[in-house]
Amino acid sequence: MIRNSRARAGEVVARCKTLASYSEDAGSTRRTFLSPPMRNCHKAICEWLRAAGAEVALDAAGNLRGFYAAADSPAPRLLIGSHLDTVPNAGAYDGALGVMIAVALIEGLAGRRLPFGIEVVAFSEEEGVRFGTPFLGSRALIGKLDAELLNRQDANGISVLEAIKNFGLNPAAIPQAAITDDTLAYLEFHIEQGPVLESLGLPLGAVECIAAQTRMEFVFLGRANHAGTTPMHLRHDAIACAAEWIVAVESIAKSISGLVATVGQIAAKPGAINVIAGEACVTLDLRHKSEDTCARMANALIRLAEEIAERRGLTLRRRTLLCQRAVEMDPFLVAQCAEAIRKTGCQPHRMVSGAGHDAMILAEKVPAAMIFVRSPGGISHDPAESVEVEDVEKALECGLHLLDQLASCTEFQKRMYRE
Ligand SMILES: [Zn+2]
């Protein structure tokens, strides 16, 4: 058993690197839902969890669950976890760090038992890479891995249901993966995946809210024509029209505090050097902690696109691809996280997560909270993704303070899971 906190943090980082070596691709990390390298991850994590005194089981949705019992039984349980799947060409810490911190927190208790049990949850799927739908693992915990999701197919025509069977699991047992009513809360550590904590010089942040998100597609329809023979004042150029709107999107987003707006894709037709574009299709991704602001800005940007198109003699077609509500983290738990961060000697910065996380799904059923760990360079979803050992040490220290705070709070232990 490692006693020194710096050494334990070093071990967390080393374990993340070990997990990153279990990959579908040679030379880079890619680990999708129930892919063969998941078995190696499970085997390694199983050993670490058992050595720390936890019982381990794999649920029917492929989530690895380690249970560290309470001092007495029956007792409620606290869930701590994150996900094990990755994007292609991934880094070693997105998801895995949260799971390894959860394991290390149990190790840090060194056999000490709390008034509640701790269940470490290593989710099978969060990124949505294999089936184009994220959160398959956490949806099973809230009873929402339904028939529609189970019938989704991957690029090889294998359904979620078949993938579960192929891994040796029983889809009929998925309902038993749902959290039980003795579940107090869900807690997740995760790398920030952005540059905010680094810009503030802080190792940790308490997430207050997961941002609302709107995704749309806009098609500006003009008229394709000859680039040489059509005078400038007689054109209906779809790319120029889209460009005017894109620049306006950026400047409007900069003027609204906390709003992020991204035009990440543009495709023009017919797409030739000597032809005026007749059609330009662009995407919009809008995020803000307030879903009202998000919806209001989406409407404003739609009106703006219509105005610009009309003035230039073009028409507009649009559709909404995603409209996701903001998810508040539990205020009591957020305050407890902030207090635990303060006890490590750091200023407890409260922040909004611009990315979705498993905590967002669990929050539908139980109080949930997240703690972000600084991402050097703000880099994620890339092999250059990293974490500082000192920051992981702070995260572990913070986690143990948090467990002690919750263990001494009888009000918290009485809170029941939401129906
Ligand atoms: Zn993640």
Side-chain angles (χ1 to χ4, degrees):
M1 183 65 73
I2 301 166
R3 297 284 174 200
N4 174 300
S5 65
R6 177 63 56 89
R8 187 175 290 119
E11 181 66 15
V12 164
V13 171
R15 286 173 177 177
C16 289
K17 288 180 181 163
T18 299
L19 297 183
S21 72
Y22 304 140
S23 173
E24 291 164 70
D25 299 339
S28 68
T29 302
R30 172 198 181 94
R31 204 170 46 243
T32 57
F33 180 67
L34 298 183
S35 56
M38 257 324 166
R39 289 189 199 280
N40 304 73
C41 282
H42 291 164
K43 188 165 173 286
I45 298 169
C46 226
E47 282 170 19
W48 298 326
L49 280 168
R50 286 195 177 124
E55 291 166 32
V56 189
L58 191 62
D59 73 25
N63 301 308
L64 189 71
R65 304 171 71 158
F67 185 68
Y68 182 82
D72 299 306
S73 99
R77 68 180 69 201
L78 171 69
L79 268 46
I80 311 179
S82 194
H83 60 99
L84 286 180
D85 67 316
T86 75
V87 293
N89 200 33
Y93 304 99
D94 175 3
L97 179 70
V99 178
M100 292 303 96
I101 286 177
V103 173
L105 286 176
I106 289 186
E107 291 173 335
L109 289 174
R112 186 160 64 91
R113 302 286 167 167
L114 303 176
F116 45 83
I118 297 174
E119 184 172 346
V120 174
V121 191
F123 291 108
S124 54
E125 212 288 340
E126 188 266 356
E127 302 282 4
V129 172
R130 181 167 173 188
F131 293 96
T133 306
F135 308 118
L136 296 178
S138 46
R139 283 187 218 248
L141 265 72
I142 62 159
K144 289 195 175 169
L145 185 53
D146 55 20
E148 194 266 320
L149 285 172
L150 289 170
N151 287 324
R152 296 261 175 138
Q153 294 185 348
D154 68 8
N156 297 317
I158 297 170
S159 68
V160 175
L161 191 86
E162 284 163 331
I164 287 171
K165 283 187 195 158
N166 294 347
F167 204 77
L169 298 169
N170 175 15
I174 288 172
Q176 282 95 66
I179 52 173
T180 42
D181 58 10
D182 60 353
T183 306
L184 287 170
Y186 172 75
L187 182 68
E188 179 168 1
F189 286 83
H190 202 284
I191 54 164
E192 182 199 344
Q193 303 183 280
V196 175
L197 289 171
E198 185 171 76
S199 74
L200 296 169
L202 298 172
L204 303 172
V207 177
E208 282 185 310
C209 168
I210 296 176
Q213 213 180 112
T214 301
R215 292 186 186 177
M216 299 188 71
E217 181 186 80
F218 292 77
V219 183
F220 294 91
L221 297 157
R223 197 180 313 129
N225 210 336
H226 198 291
T229 61
T230 317
M232 295 309 286
H233 71 287
L234 296 177
R235 295 181 178 210
H236 303 283
D237 185 332
I239 288 187
C241 182
E244 183 181 340
W245 179 73
I246 292 167
V247 172
V249 167
E250 187 192 34
S251 83
I252 290 169
K254 281 179 175 169
S255 72
I256 309 284
S257 171
L259 182 72
V260 286
T262 307
V263 177
Q265 286 182 321
I266 177 161
K269 287 181 188 169
I273 192 166
N274 58 348
V275 183
I276 298 161
E279 188 179 316
C281 177
V282 297
T283 56
L284 175 68
D285 176 310
L286 263 187
R287 305 186 194 202
H288 194 272
K289 68 176 175 184
S290 150
E291 57 206 38
D292 288 347
T293 303
C294 207
R296 209 158 31 80
M297 293 318 296
N299 285 330
L301 294 175
I302 289 167
R303 276 199 308 276
L304 184 66
E306 286 167 348
E307 276 166 33
I308 296 171
E310 196 184 337
R311 170 161 46 76
R312 289 170 166 268
L314 282 81
T315 55
L316 182 72
R317 203 169 63 213
R318 63 178 161 85
R319 62 189 179 118
T320 300
L321 306 173
L322 174 79
C323 199
Q324 196 171 275
R325 300 174 65 102
V327 178
E328 295 282 338
M329 297 290 96
D330 182 73
F332 168 82
L333 281 179
V334 176
Q336 291 293 317
C337 291
E339 178 60 18
I341 293 171
R342 199 190 326 273
K343 284 181 184 159
T344 70
C346 301
Q347 184 204 323
H349 178 65
R350 292 177 178 230
M351 60 197 300
V352 175
S353 172
H357 291 288
D358 293 304
M360 186 172 96
I361 304 297
L362 269 294
E364 283 187 37
K365 289 277 184 186
V366 287
M370 290 189 81
I371 292 172
F372 275 169
V373 182
R374 168 164 54 191
S375 287
I379 298 165
S380 184
H381 283 188
D382 186 273
E385 184 179 275
S386 68
V387 74
E388 297 292 345
V389 174
E390 295 77 8
D391 293 356
V392 175
E393 188 181 3
K394 287 286 184 196
L396 294 176
E397 195 188 327
C398 161
L400 288 170
H401 284 309
L402 184 57
L403 290 178
D404 283 336
Q405 287 164 217
L406 298 178
S408 64
C409 180
T410 47
E411 275 308 300
F412 167 72
Q413 290 155 43
K414 279 187 219 148
R415 290 173 7 142
M416 292 306 282
Y417 128 96
R418 298 180 198 137
E419 248 322 330

